[in-house]
Each structure stands twice: as structure tokens, then as C-alpha cells.
Amino acid sequence: MRFPPFPEPRSSSGVSGGPLVALAALLAGAAALSAIALLGGGWPDWWIPGGLALVALAAYALLWGALVRPVRRFAAAMARMAAEDRVDVVPRARTAELDRIAVALYRFRRVRPGRRGARVHHRVPLAAALCLVAVLVLGWAIPAAVATVGGVEPRTDAVIREAAVSAAAEAEDLHGALRAGLERVQQAAGLPTGGAVTDPAATATQVLEAEPLFRSVTVVDASGRPVVTAGTPATAEIEVPPGGPRVVQANNAGSEPLVRASAPMWDGSSALVAEFDPRALNAVIRGPGGHTQVVDGQQATVLDSGGYTAFAPLDDPALGALAAAASGGAPAADAAGDGRVAAAQRVAATGTPTDLGWVLVEDQDVAVAAFASDGNRRAALVAIVAAASIACAALGWTAVTVVAPARRLVRHVERLAAGETLAPLAPQRLDEIGTSVEATNRLAATRTVGAPPSNRVIRGGARPLDTRGPRAVARA
């Protein structure tokens, strides 16, 4: 029985796709790190891009020598086997999966390997090359990343100045949020002049929809009783502060701070009160700096960028001293010990309508802040992580598209050799492994049509099993 010519793989890259992507990522990373070293003035050290270039060369040698080339040769032999209906063209190999397929094919056609074919020792799995390359990549990436992040020389004075600037900016952002909310309430409360408030529900709803910092807006009458509320109902009694529009902190204990902006309405008797959402205010202080807290006049926590329990005391003595110093209005910044620096800034000036007595305190790790301010090291770290991540992802893809299908083919062929009748195995991709799968399917079809085993000597010393009796062999 003769088969038609075997089709060529339709995948342009075949099993080399993943290794090519890994190699390209490593070389691109080495080029990027070299460019950063040339243009950035001092970092990274040349051992980092040089080491990556050596890793790329070693990866090329390992992947092509232990995976791509053996699989391609094996696929060519399998295609020839399917076209000529001969298992003697499939050699044994030093790759474990490929050798098991060859042995199973010999058993399927009742062929035993000769002496030379039985001498194949130290068979290496396909995954060994992938694992070794991954170890090389990570063995370079981890020390390179550690040296990039940990090698920065922190300058405490510069970090203190940067912390003071960052604290001032975040305090201004928080003050701007409070001021914008109060202005929104003032505008809605003072539109008409004279007369009664005819549609308080519409007014409250419009204010709530216009300001995302609010979670509820309430119209209260002259006695302080709510007339209508848009949004979440107030959880505590509403007290309108005298003296015109202002922002107040309505509690000093509880599960969360109650911060309200209020303004008298145009009728002269009712007032418009909007309650800020603490989560929205907390999001305002989540800047790119370090850990940020906002404390009230009793140094109890009202906001915290890292999660907090409301009104927990500020128990760090260094931070407490800075907060006390800044409560008078002058910014304060200093080293806080344990490799940290801190800065404190009053949120609003004393006596203003938005003054709650709040002080914003920001503390930063000196080493982390120094790294964050070093753009050259940040760029180098991005290049290191990107090159290693893409290369390892490509190796994982190769394991999924090459190693796993090869192992499935091994199990399939060994079951065929054991005499089981199996359905054809579907190729996962039309690459070299897919070629081997289709070749196996064609060979398995010969059992159905009763094709006899080949009488040729198998490459590597394999010989067909002779089922004739000893006398017939002697006469021959």
C-alpha cells in the first residue's frame, strides 16, 4: 500500500515559533538595556545587558539543539514513513518522547531494534531544554532586578524635600475637593432670591448627580428636620452650623467620619446639606507617594490611603510631632527613623469655611522614594521585567503547543503498538508535531487494510520480527 505525498506543515514558524519569540524578547531586552546605559548616564552596569546577551545565545543553542532541530528531523522522517509506508526511515533519538514514538512504531510493525539502535542512552525530555532556559532567564533577571532596585543611593535630604512637595500637593488636592463640594452646595442653595423652596427634591437630586464626592444631599427646614433626601439617608442627626456656608466634621467617633457641606437656601429658613462619601475623599489622597494619612485636631485618623479604622489615634511619635507642628499652619518635614521620612501639611487655612482642623501626613521609605525618583533605574527595571516575562511566556507557550502534543502522541502510539484499536488522533496544529500525528494516523490505517510489515532493515540496526518457523528460516 502506498500513500500520496504527505502535505507540508501550514504553520510558517512551526515548533520554532515560541523559541523565536523568546529569543527576540531576550535580544530586544539586551538592546534596550544597552541603550538605557548609553543614554542614561551610569545605569545599568554593563554586566546586565551583557549577561542577557549571553543568556540569549545559550537559549538559542539549547532550544534549537534540543528541541527545534530534533522535532523537525523527526517530522520529516515521519512524513517519509507515511508516504512510503516504511518504519525503517524513522530513527531512534536522544529525545525521550521522539524515541518512545520510534520504539512504539517498531512494535506496531513487529520490528525490534538491532544492536546499534538499542545503544541510545541518556534520553532527554523535550521539556528539559525549556526548563533549563527558564532557569537561565530567571537566574539573570532576579539578580538584575535586585541590583537595579536595591543599588540606588538614597539621599535623605532630597527625599525629605520631595516628601514635603508631595504632601503639599495632596493636601491641596483634598482641600480642592472640599472646596468644590461646598461651592456646588452654595450655587444650588442660592439660585433664586426670596420666595419658598417649591421643589426641594429636584434641588437635592440635581446636586447629588452633579457632584460625585457626595453620597447624599438633604434639604432641612428651620428646625433642622429633613424635608427630603437624595441618596443614602443620613445616619446621624443633621445640625446646620451657623454663620453661613461651611464644611464641618459632624462626629469624632464611629465607623466612619461624617463630613458635611451646608449652605442656607434662598428662602432664608431652610438649608441644603450634602454629606461627602469618605471613600471618595480617601481616593483623593491615593497619590503616587508613600503612605498618606489625614488626622483631625485630636490626631485621630479620618482618612488613610492604605486602609484604616476611623478615629484610630496617630500612635507614631515622630508622625505625631510633625502633625502637631503642621497644625499651626507651617509645613513640617523630617526623618522619621527606620529609613523613613515624613512630611505634614495642614489641609485648609485656619478660619476658612473648609477648615476642619485636618492635617495631612505622608511618610515614605527612603530607598523606595529614591528609586521612584530615578527614571533611569525605573526604565531599566521595566526592560528587565518585560524581557524575562515575554521570554518565559513564550517558553510556556512552547510547552503547551509542542511538549504536551508530543506526549499525547507518545501515549497514542504506544496504545496502538499494544494492539488497541483507536480513533485517529486529531493534530492540535499543522506544524511538525501535527505532521507526526497525521503520519501516525496513516500508518495506523494499514492495520485496517492488513498491510504486511516491512522486510527492510531498520536504520540504527533494527530488524523485522520473522514469524516463520526455524525450519523455514533454515531452508531460506
Side-chain angles (χ1 to χ4, degrees):
M1 180 178 181
R2 290 293 180 264
F3 291 90
F6 200 76
E8 294 293 329
R10 297 180 185 177
S11 176
S12 59
S13 59
V15 297
S16 64
L20 283 175
V21 172
L23 180 62
L26 297 177
L27 292 177
L33 290 169
S34 299
I36 294 171
L38 287 173
L39 302 176
W43 190 262
D45 288 340
W46 285 106
W47 70 266
I48 293 181
L52 183 54
L54 292 177
V55 169
L57 293 176
Y60 173 83
L62 286 170
L63 294 176
W64 257 254
L67 189 144
V68 176
R69 186 178 300 169
V71 171
R72 284 180 172 175
R73 290 179 175 175
F74 190 79
M78 292 288 285
R80 184 182 173 192
M81 176 197 72
E84 301 179 7
D85 192 27
R86 295 169 51 195
V87 295
D88 60 293
V89 297
V90 180
R92 297 192 62 180
R94 293 189 180 276
T95 303
E97 290 84 355
L98 306 184
D99 188 66
R100 288 174 62 185
I101 294 172
V103 172
L105 291 174
Y106 299 162
R107 291 171 53 202
F108 180 79
R109 280 296 181 84
R110 298 181 180 180
V111 170
R112 63 165 177 256
R115 294 180 180 179
R116 190 159 57 93
R119 292 176 184 174
V120 179
H121 301 296
H122 308 294
R123 298 170 184 85
V124 180
L126 286 171
L130 299 177
C131 294
L132 187 54
V133 171
V135 169
L136 289 175
V137 171
L138 295 178
W140 164 85
I142 293 174
V146 170
T148 301
V149 176
V152 64
E153 296 180 3
R155 294 173 296 176
T156 304
D157 294 341
V159 176
I160 290 176
R161 290 193 297 270
E162 292 171 0
V165 172
S166 177
E170 291 193 359
E172 179 58 32
D173 290 342
L174 181 57
H175 181 225
L178 296 173
R179 184 175 59 244
L182 180 60
E183 291 175 353
R184 181 78 65 182
V185 171
Q186 283 182 270
Q187 292 172 1
L191 287 178
T193 56
V197 180
T198 58
D199 194 355
T203 301
T205 301
Q206 290 172 2
V207 174
L208 182 63
E209 292 176 350
E211 182 52 67
L213 291 174
F214 294 153
R215 66 179 177 184
S216 68
V217 179
T218 305
V219 177
V220 299
D221 60 17
S223 63
R225 290 179 300 181
V227 176
V228 65
T229 298
T232 306
T235 56
E237 183 180 353
I238 298 177
E239 296 182 5
V240 180
R246 64 179 299 105
V247 179
V248 298
Q249 179 181 320
N251 65 336
N252 294 310
S255 59
E256 59 184 5
L258 301 178
V259 183
R260 294 169 177 160
S262 62
M265 299 192 72
W266 65 80
D267 62 352
S269 59
S270 58
L272 187 65
V273 181
E275 187 169 289
F276 286 91
D277 186 349
R279 295 172 182 81
L281 292 177
N282 211 48
V284 174
I285 63 172
R286 288 197 179 104
H291 178 215
T292 303
Q293 302 174 78
V294 177
V295 296
D296 60 15
Q298 288 73 42
Q299 292 197 357
T301 303
V302 290
L303 299 174
D304 193 317
S305 63
Y308 67 106
T309 300
F311 303 107
L314 186 63
D315 52 4
D316 189 312
L319 299 184
L322 287 175
S327 63
D334 201 356
D338 298 330
R340 297 180 301 126
V341 299
Q345 175 79 39
R346 191 178 178 95
V347 173
T350 304
T352 60
T354 53
D355 178 29
L356 301 173
W358 286 1
V359 175
L360 183 142
V361 182
E362 179 178 314
D363 63 300
Q364 299 182 5
D365 184 273
V366 175
V368 173
F371 173 77
S373 63
D374 192 332
N376 204 44
R377 288 180 180 269
R378 292 202 310 273
L381 182 62
V382 169
I384 292 169
V385 173
S389 299
I390 295 174
C392 290
L395 296 175
W397 172 252
T398 303
V400 171
T401 59
V402 177
V403 178
R407 290 178 176 175
R408 283 196 294 270
L409 179 58
V410 168
R411 293 190 293 269
H412 182 77
V413 177
E414 288 180 341
R415 291 177 65 187
L416 288 174
E420 296 185 37
T421 301
L422 303 175
L425 184 65
Q428 179 174 318
R429 299 170 68 218
L430 291 177
D431 57 4
E432 289 84 350
I433 299 296
T435 296
S436 301
V437 170
E438 183 60 25
T440 301
N441 292 336
R442 294 197 179 194
L443 184 68
T446 62
R447 173 182 291 171
T448 304
V449 298
S454 174
N455 289 325
R456 294 181 178 89
V457 176
I458 303 303
R459 182 182 301 175
R463 297 180 178 275
L465 290 176
D466 200 330
T467 58
R468 298 175 297 174
R471 295 181 181 178
V473 173
R475 287 196 301 270

PDB file of all heavy atoms in Angstrom, residues 48-64:
ATOM      1  N   ILE A  48      24.668  43.697  33.098  1.00  0.00           N
ATOM      2  CA  ILE A  48      23.248  43.353  32.957  1.00  0.00           C
ATOM      3  C   ILE A  48      22.885  43.104  31.492  1.00  0.00           C
ATOM      4  O   ILE A  48      22.394  42.022  31.156  1.00  0.00           O
ATOM      5  CB  ILE A  48      22.368  44.436  33.607  1.00  0.00           C
ATOM      6  CG1 ILE A  48      22.599  44.423  35.122  1.00  0.00           C
ATOM      7  CG2 ILE A  48      20.897  44.205  33.287  1.00  0.00           C
ATOM      8  CD1 ILE A  48      21.774  45.435  35.879  1.00  0.00           C
ATOM      9  N   PRO A  49      23.103  44.059  30.566  1.00  0.00           N
ATOM     10  CA  PRO A  49      22.813  43.719  29.159  1.00  0.00           C
ATOM     11  C   PRO A  49      23.741  42.661  28.598  1.00  0.00           C
ATOM     12  O   PRO A  49      23.338  41.837  27.768  1.00  0.00           O
ATOM     13  CB  PRO A  49      22.965  45.061  28.424  1.00  0.00           C
ATOM     14  CG  PRO A  49      23.816  45.887  29.306  1.00  0.00           C
ATOM     15  CD  PRO A  49      23.493  45.474  30.705  1.00  0.00           C
ATOM     16  N   GLY A  50      25.040  42.665  29.040  1.00  0.00           N
ATOM     17  CA  GLY A  50      25.959  41.638  28.568  1.00  0.00           C
ATOM     18  C   GLY A  50      25.537  40.251  29.010  1.00  0.00           C
ATOM     19  O   GLY A  50      25.585  39.285  28.229  1.00  0.00           O
ATOM     20  N   GLY A  51      25.097  40.131  30.266  1.00  0.00           N
ATOM     21  CA  GLY A  51      24.618  38.837  30.744  1.00  0.00           C
ATOM     22  C   GLY A  51      23.377  38.375  30.008  1.00  0.00           C
ATOM     23  O   GLY A  51      23.215  37.186  29.714  1.00  0.00           O
ATOM     24  N   LEU A  52      22.498  39.321  29.667  1.00  0.00           N
ATOM     25  CA  LEU A  52      21.295  38.944  28.929  1.00  0.00           C
ATOM     26  C   LEU A  52      21.642  38.475  27.520  1.00  0.00           C
ATOM     27  O   LEU A  52      21.025  37.537  26.998  1.00  0.00           O
ATOM     28  CB  LEU A  52      20.328  40.128  28.865  1.00  0.00           C
ATOM     29  CG  LEU A  52      18.991  39.865  28.177  1.00  0.00           C
ATOM     30  CD1 LEU A  52      18.282  38.672  28.800  1.00  0.00           C
ATOM     31  CD2 LEU A  52      18.100  41.095  28.241  1.00  0.00           C
ATOM     32  N   ALA A  53      22.622  39.107  26.890  1.00  0.00           N
ATOM     33  CA  ALA A  53      23.045  38.659  25.561  1.00  0.00           C
ATOM     34  C   ALA A  53      23.595  37.232  25.616  1.00  0.00           C
ATOM     35  O   ALA A  53      23.313  36.403  24.738  1.00  0.00           O
ATOM     36  CB  ALA A  53      24.085  39.617  24.991  1.00  0.00           C
ATOM     37  N   LEU A  54      24.369  36.919  26.655  1.00  0.00           N
ATOM     38  CA  LEU A  54      24.885  35.553  26.801  1.00  0.00           C
ATOM     39  C   LEU A  54      23.747  34.565  27.055  1.00  0.00           C
ATOM     40  O   LEU A  54      23.770  33.441  26.531  1.00  0.00           O
ATOM     41  CB  LEU A  54      25.891  35.505  27.956  1.00  0.00           C
ATOM     42  CG  LEU A  54      27.210  36.256  27.732  1.00  0.00           C
ATOM     43  CD1 LEU A  54      28.072  36.188  28.981  1.00  0.00           C
ATOM     44  CD2 LEU A  54      27.953  35.681  26.534  1.00  0.00           C
ATOM     45  N   VAL A  55      22.759  34.968  27.848  1.00  0.00           N
ATOM     46  CA  VAL A  55      21.606  34.108  28.081  1.00  0.00           C
ATOM     47  C   VAL A  55      20.869  33.840  26.774  1.00  0.00           C
ATOM     48  O   VAL A  55      20.419  32.719  26.502  1.00  0.00           O
ATOM     49  CB  VAL A  55      20.664  34.735  29.131  1.00  0.00           C
ATOM     50  CG1 VAL A  55      19.329  34.000  29.187  1.00  0.00           C
ATOM     51  CG2 VAL A  55      21.311  34.718  30.496  1.00  0.00           C
ATOM     52  N   ALA A  56      20.742  34.882  25.927  1.00  0.00           N
ATOM     53  CA  ALA A  56      20.069  34.701  24.642  1.00  0.00           C
ATOM     54  C   ALA A  56      20.823  33.706  23.761  1.00  0.00           C
ATOM     55  O   ALA A  56      20.211  32.850  23.111  1.00  0.00           O
ATOM     56  CB  ALA A  56      19.941  36.047  23.933  1.00  0.00           C
ATOM     57  N   LEU A  57      22.157  33.789  23.739  1.00  0.00           N
ATOM     58  CA  LEU A  57      22.942  32.845  22.940  1.00  0.00           C
ATOM     59  C   LEU A  57      22.803  31.420  23.476  1.00  0.00           C
ATOM     60  O   LEU A  57      22.644  30.461  22.703  1.00  0.00           O
ATOM     61  CB  LEU A  57      24.411  33.265  22.937  1.00  0.00           C
ATOM     62  CG  LEU A  57      24.726  34.587  22.213  1.00  0.00           C
ATOM     63  CD1 LEU A  57      26.203  34.922  22.372  1.00  0.00           C
ATOM     64  CD2 LEU A  57      24.354  34.491  20.737  1.00  0.00           C
ATOM     65  N   ALA A  58      22.859  31.278  24.800  1.00  0.00           N
ATOM     66  CA  ALA A  58      22.694  29.945  25.393  1.00  0.00           C
ATOM     67  C   ALA A  58      21.292  29.398  25.124  1.00  0.00           C
ATOM     68  O   ALA A  58      21.114  28.208  24.846  1.00  0.00           O
ATOM     69  CB  ALA A  58      22.968  30.007  26.899  1.00  0.00           C
ATOM     70  N   ALA A  59      20.279  30.268  25.186  1.00  0.00           N
ATOM     71  CA  ALA A  59      18.915  29.831  24.908  1.00  0.00           C
ATOM     72  C   ALA A  59      18.776  29.363  23.465  1.00  0.00           C
ATOM     73  O   ALA A  59      18.113  28.358  23.186  1.00  0.00           O
ATOM     74  CB  ALA A  59      17.934  30.969  25.193  1.00  0.00           C
ATOM     75  N   TYR A  60      19.413  30.086  22.554  1.00  0.00           N
ATOM     76  CA  TYR A  60      19.362  29.684  21.150  1.00  0.00           C
ATOM     77  C   TYR A  60      19.970  28.296  20.968  1.00  0.00           C
ATOM     78  O   TYR A  60      19.396  27.424  20.310  1.00  0.00           O
ATOM     79  CB  TYR A  60      20.115  30.699  20.295  1.00  0.00           C
ATOM     80  CG  TYR A  60      20.263  30.287  18.854  1.00  0.00           C
ATOM     81  CD1 TYR A  60      19.241  30.503  17.935  1.00  0.00           C
ATOM     82  CD2 TYR A  60      21.422  29.663  18.396  1.00  0.00           C
ATOM     83  CE1 TYR A  60      19.363  30.120  16.612  1.00  0.00           C
ATOM     84  CE2 TYR A  60      21.567  29.269  17.080  1.00  0.00           C
ATOM     85  CZ  TYR A  60      20.534  29.503  16.193  1.00  0.00           C
ATOM     86  OH  TYR A  60      20.660  29.109  14.883  1.00  0.00           O
ATOM     87  N   ALA A  61      21.157  28.085  21.558  1.00  0.00           N
ATOM     88  CA  ALA A  61      21.821  26.794  21.400  1.00  0.00           C
ATOM     89  C   ALA A  61      20.993  25.659  22.000  1.00  0.00           C
ATOM     90  O   ALA A  61      20.850  24.586  21.407  1.00  0.00           O
ATOM     91  CB  ALA A  61      23.205  26.853  22.051  1.00  0.00           C
ATOM     92  N   LEU A  62      20.420  25.893  23.176  1.00  0.00           N
ATOM     93  CA  LEU A  62      19.657  24.837  23.839  1.00  0.00           C
ATOM     94  C   LEU A  62      18.353  24.536  23.104  1.00  0.00           C
ATOM     95  O   LEU A  62      18.032  23.364  22.844  1.00  0.00           O
ATOM     96  CB  LEU A  62      19.359  25.259  25.280  1.00  0.00           C
ATOM     97  CG  LEU A  62      20.534  25.213  26.258  1.00  0.00           C
ATOM     98  CD1 LEU A  62      20.171  25.878  27.568  1.00  0.00           C
ATOM     99  CD2 LEU A  62      20.948  23.766  26.512  1.00  0.00           C
ATOM    100  N   LEU A  63      17.603  25.575  22.771  1.00  0.00           N
ATOM    101  CA  LEU A  63      16.290  25.345  22.157  1.00  0.00           C
ATOM    102  C   LEU A  63      16.415  24.748  20.764  1.00  0.00           C
ATOM    103  O   LEU A  63      15.666  23.848  20.397  1.00  0.00           O
ATOM    104  CB  LEU A  63      15.503  26.654  22.118  1.00  0.00           C
ATOM    105  CG  LEU A  63      15.102  27.219  23.492  1.00  0.00           C
ATOM    106  CD1 LEU A  63      14.412  28.554  23.334  1.00  0.00           C
ATOM    107  CD2 LEU A  63      14.193  26.238  24.227  1.00  0.00           C
ATOM    108  N   TRP A  64      17.357  25.277  19.972  1.00  0.00           N
ATOM    109  CA  TRP A  64      17.493  24.735  18.621  1.00  0.00           C
ATOM    110  C   TRP A  64      18.137  23.359  18.622  1.00  0.00           C
ATOM    111  O   TRP A  64      17.763  22.496  17.842  1.00  0.00           O
ATOM    112  CB  TRP A  64      18.310  25.704  17.764  1.00  0.00           C
ATOM    113  CG  TRP A  64      17.446  26.490  16.842  1.00  0.00           C
ATOM    114  CD1 TRP A  64      17.315  26.345  15.496  1.00  0.00           C
ATOM    115  CD2 TRP A  64      16.561  27.549  17.199  1.00  0.00           C
ATOM    116  NE1 TRP A  64      16.414  27.256  14.995  1.00  0.00           N
ATOM    117  CE2 TRP A  64      15.928  28.014  16.022  1.00  0.00           C
ATOM    118  CE3 TRP A  64      16.225  28.171  18.405  1.00  0.00           C
ATOM    119  CZ2 TRP A  64      15.016  29.048  16.012  1.00  0.00           C
ATOM    120  CZ3 TRP A  64      15.317  29.201  18.400  1.00  0.00           C
ATOM    121  CH2 TRP A  64      14.720  29.630  17.212  1.00  0.00           C
TER     122      TRP A  64
END
